[in-house]
mmCIF file of all heavy atoms in Angstrom:
data_model
loop_
_atom_site.group_PDB
_atom_site.id
_atom_site.type_symbol
_atom_site.label_atom_id
_atom_site.label_comp_id
_atom_site.label_asym_id
_atom_site.label_seq_id
_atom_site.Cartn_x
_atom_site.Cartn_y
_atom_site.Cartn_z
ATOM 1 N N HIS A 630 -203.500 -20.465 103.721
ATOM 2 C CA HIS A 630 -203.245 -21.131 102.452
ATOM 3 C C HIS A 630 -203.276 -20.176 101.250
ATOM 4 O O HIS A 630 -204.255 -19.487 101.010
ATOM 5 C CB HIS A 630 -204.275 -22.234 102.247
ATOM 6 C CG HIS A 630 -204.076 -22.999 100.981
ATOM 7 N ND1 HIS A 630 -202.942 -23.727 100.720
ATOM 8 C CD2 HIS A 630 -204.855 -23.119 99.880
ATOM 9 C CE1 HIS A 630 -203.040 -24.286 99.531
ATOM 10 N NE2 HIS A 630 -204.186 -23.923 98.999
ATOM 11 N N SER A 631 -202.136 -20.167 100.517
ATOM 12 C CA SER A 631 -202.003 -19.438 99.252
ATOM 13 C C SER A 631 -201.979 -17.919 99.397
ATOM 14 O O SER A 631 -201.896 -17.216 98.401
ATOM 15 C CB SER A 631 -203.137 -19.796 98.280
ATOM 16 O OG SER A 631 -203.095 -21.158 97.970
ATOM 17 N N GLN A 632 -202.053 -17.402 100.631
ATOM 18 C CA GLN A 632 -202.028 -15.963 100.808
ATOM 19 C C GLN A 632 -200.644 -15.493 101.243
ATOM 20 O O GLN A 632 -199.791 -16.298 101.618
ATOM 21 C CB GLN A 632 -203.066 -15.541 101.847
ATOM 22 C CG GLN A 632 -204.493 -15.873 101.463
ATOM 23 C CD GLN A 632 -205.472 -15.426 102.529
ATOM 24 O OE1 GLN A 632 -205.172 -14.569 103.351
ATOM 25 N NE2 GLN A 632 -206.659 -16.009 102.509
ATOM 26 N N GLY A 633 -200.426 -14.188 101.216
ATOM 27 C CA GLY A 633 -199.192 -13.640 101.734
ATOM 28 C C GLY A 633 -199.162 -13.716 103.253
ATOM 29 O O GLY A 633 -200.205 -13.714 103.906
ATOM 30 N N PRO A 634 -197.969 -13.801 103.843
ATOM 31 C CA PRO A 634 -197.876 -13.851 105.309
ATOM 32 C C PRO A 634 -198.503 -12.628 105.959
ATOM 33 O O PRO A 634 -198.501 -11.530 105.399
ATOM 34 C CB PRO A 634 -196.365 -13.901 105.563
ATOM 35 C CG PRO A 634 -195.798 -14.490 104.323
ATOM 36 C CD PRO A 634 -196.663 -13.962 103.215
ATOM 37 N N GLN A 635 -199.011 -12.838 107.167
ATOM 38 C CA GLN A 635 -199.684 -11.786 107.921
ATOM 39 C C GLN A 635 -198.990 -11.638 109.261
ATOM 40 O O GLN A 635 -198.781 -12.615 109.987
ATOM 41 C CB GLN A 635 -201.148 -12.168 108.127
ATOM 42 C CG GLN A 635 -201.952 -11.194 108.964
ATOM 43 C CD GLN A 635 -203.334 -11.731 109.306
ATOM 44 O OE1 GLN A 635 -203.558 -12.944 109.326
ATOM 45 N NE2 GLN A 635 -204.251 -10.839 109.576
ATOM 46 N N TYR A 636 -198.646 -10.414 109.613
ATOM 47 C CA TYR A 636 -198.022 -10.130 110.896
ATOM 48 C C TYR A 636 -199.009 -10.419 112.034
ATOM 49 O O TYR A 636 -200.196 -10.094 111.940
ATOM 50 C CB TYR A 636 -197.588 -8.670 110.949
ATOM 51 C CG TYR A 636 -197.255 -8.157 112.326
ATOM 52 C CD1 TYR A 636 -196.024 -8.432 112.909
ATOM 53 C CD2 TYR A 636 -198.172 -7.412 113.043
ATOM 54 C CE1 TYR A 636 -195.722 -7.950 114.172
ATOM 55 C CE2 TYR A 636 -197.876 -6.932 114.310
ATOM 56 C CZ TYR A 636 -196.647 -7.209 114.863
ATOM 57 O OH TYR A 636 -196.340 -6.737 116.121
ATOM 58 N N ILE A 637 -198.503 -11.040 113.115
ATOM 59 C CA ILE A 637 -199.358 -11.281 114.275
ATOM 60 C C ILE A 637 -198.916 -10.428 115.461
ATOM 61 O O ILE A 637 -199.685 -9.617 115.974
ATOM 62 C CB ILE A 637 -199.327 -12.769 114.698
ATOM 63 C CG1 ILE A 637 -199.783 -13.674 113.542
ATOM 64 C CG2 ILE A 637 -200.215 -12.997 115.926
ATOM 65 C CD1 ILE A 637 -199.617 -15.159 113.829
ATOM 66 N N ILE A 638 -197.663 -10.580 115.878
ATOM 67 C CA ILE A 638 -197.222 -9.937 117.104
ATOM 68 C C ILE A 638 -195.704 -10.020 117.186
ATOM 69 O O ILE A 638 -195.094 -10.853 116.498
ATOM 70 C CB ILE A 638 -197.886 -10.620 118.324
ATOM 71 C CG1 ILE A 638 -197.844 -9.740 119.564
ATOM 72 C CG2 ILE A 638 -197.262 -11.990 118.596
ATOM 73 C CD1 ILE A 638 -198.777 -10.245 120.684
ATOM 74 N N HIS A 639 -195.084 -9.177 117.987
ATOM 75 C CA HIS A 639 -193.663 -9.310 118.248
ATOM 76 C C HIS A 639 -193.342 -8.809 119.650
ATOM 77 O O HIS A 639 -194.136 -8.069 120.254
ATOM 78 C CB HIS A 639 -192.817 -8.568 117.196
ATOM 79 C CG HIS A 639 -192.831 -7.077 117.330
ATOM 80 N ND1 HIS A 639 -193.865 -6.300 116.857
ATOM 81 C CD2 HIS A 639 -191.930 -6.222 117.865
ATOM 82 C CE1 HIS A 639 -193.591 -5.028 117.084
ATOM 83 N NE2 HIS A 639 -192.431 -4.941 117.701
ATOM 84 N N GLY A 640 -192.159 -9.218 120.153
ATOM 85 C CA GLY A 640 -191.753 -8.791 121.483
ATOM 86 C C GLY A 640 -190.250 -8.932 121.661
ATOM 87 O O GLY A 640 -189.588 -9.669 120.927
ATOM 88 N N LEU A 641 -189.728 -8.250 122.649
ATOM 89 C CA LEU A 641 -188.296 -8.305 122.950
ATOM 90 C C LEU A 641 -188.053 -9.073 124.252
ATOM 91 O O LEU A 641 -187.357 -10.078 124.257
ATOM 92 C CB LEU A 641 -187.725 -6.891 123.069
ATOM 93 C CG LEU A 641 -186.215 -6.781 123.279
ATOM 94 C CD1 LEU A 641 -185.458 -7.375 122.099
ATOM 95 C CD2 LEU A 641 -185.794 -5.337 123.511
ATOM 96 N N LYS A 642 -188.610 -8.588 125.335
ATOM 97 C CA LYS A 642 -188.416 -9.255 126.636
ATOM 98 C C LYS A 642 -189.734 -9.499 127.352
ATOM 99 O O LYS A 642 -189.945 -10.531 127.969
ATOM 100 C CB LYS A 642 -187.530 -8.381 127.530
ATOM 101 C CG LYS A 642 -186.097 -8.306 127.097
ATOM 102 C CD LYS A 642 -185.240 -7.613 128.148
ATOM 103 C CE LYS A 642 -185.563 -6.135 128.227
ATOM 104 N NZ LYS A 642 -184.593 -5.401 129.094
ATOM 105 N N ASN A 643 -190.619 -8.517 127.258
ATOM 106 C CA ASN A 643 -191.868 -8.594 128.008
ATOM 107 C C ASN A 643 -192.929 -9.349 127.225
ATOM 108 O O ASN A 643 -192.862 -9.457 126.005
ATOM 109 C CB ASN A 643 -192.380 -7.184 128.297
ATOM 110 C CG ASN A 643 -191.386 -6.388 129.117
ATOM 111 O OD1 ASN A 643 -190.741 -6.927 130.002
ATOM 112 N ND2 ASN A 643 -191.265 -5.114 128.805
ATOM 113 N N ASN A 644 -193.900 -9.849 127.957
ATOM 114 C CA ASN A 644 -195.047 -10.470 127.295
ATOM 115 C C ASN A 644 -195.859 -9.393 126.593
ATOM 116 O O ASN A 644 -195.926 -8.253 127.047
ATOM 117 C CB ASN A 644 -195.906 -11.207 128.323
ATOM 118 C CG ASN A 644 -195.147 -12.328 129.004
ATOM 119 O OD1 ASN A 644 -194.177 -12.866 128.452
ATOM 120 N ND2 ASN A 644 -195.568 -12.676 130.205
ATOM 121 N N GLU A 645 -196.454 -9.763 125.468
ATOM 122 C CA GLU A 645 -197.214 -8.815 124.667
ATOM 123 C C GLU A 645 -198.572 -9.400 124.335
ATOM 124 O O GLU A 645 -198.722 -10.619 124.211
ATOM 125 C CB GLU A 645 -196.475 -8.481 123.368
ATOM 126 C CG GLU A 645 -195.082 -7.927 123.523
ATOM 127 C CD GLU A 645 -195.064 -6.496 124.021
ATOM 128 O OE1 GLU A 645 -196.122 -5.839 123.971
ATOM 129 O OE2 GLU A 645 -193.987 -6.040 124.466
ATOM 130 N N THR A 646 -199.545 -8.509 124.173
ATOM 131 C CA THR A 646 -200.903 -8.931 123.779
ATOM 132 C C THR A 646 -201.462 -7.911 122.806
ATOM 133 O O THR A 646 -201.260 -6.710 122.979
ATOM 134 C CB THR A 646 -201.824 -9.037 125.013
ATOM 135 O OG1 THR A 646 -201.337 -10.078 125.863
ATOM 136 C CG2 THR A 646 -203.245 -9.386 124.599
ATOM 137 N N ASN A 647 -202.135 -8.403 121.794
ATOM 138 C CA ASN A 647 -202.899 -7.517 120.910
ATOM 139 C C ASN A 647 -204.224 -8.205 120.587
ATOM 140 O O ASN A 647 -204.578 -9.216 121.222
ATOM 141 C CB ASN A 647 -202.102 -7.144 119.657
ATOM 142 C CG ASN A 647 -201.765 -8.337 118.778
ATOM 143 O OD1 ASN A 647 -202.408 -9.388 118.860
ATOM 144 N ND2 ASN A 647 -200.749 -8.162 117.948
ATOM 145 N N GLU A 648 -204.937 -7.650 119.627
ATOM 146 C CA GLU A 648 -206.275 -8.176 119.346
ATOM 147 C C GLU A 648 -206.252 -9.573 118.737
ATOM 148 O O GLU A 648 -207.263 -10.257 118.722
ATOM 149 C CB GLU A 648 -207.037 -7.220 118.427
ATOM 150 C CG GLU A 648 -206.425 -7.063 117.050
ATOM 151 C CD GLU A 648 -205.270 -6.081 117.008
ATOM 152 O OE1 GLU A 648 -204.893 -5.552 118.064
ATOM 153 O OE2 GLU A 648 -204.739 -5.862 115.903
#
Side-chain angles (χ1 to χ4, degrees):
Chain A
H630 181 62
S631 298
Q632 298 180 20
Q635 177 189 24
Y636 165 80
I637 302 173
I638 199 166
H639 74 280
L641 184 62
K642 290 189 290 189
N643 300 322
N644 298 336
E645 303 287 345
T646 295
N647 63 20
E648 64 278 3

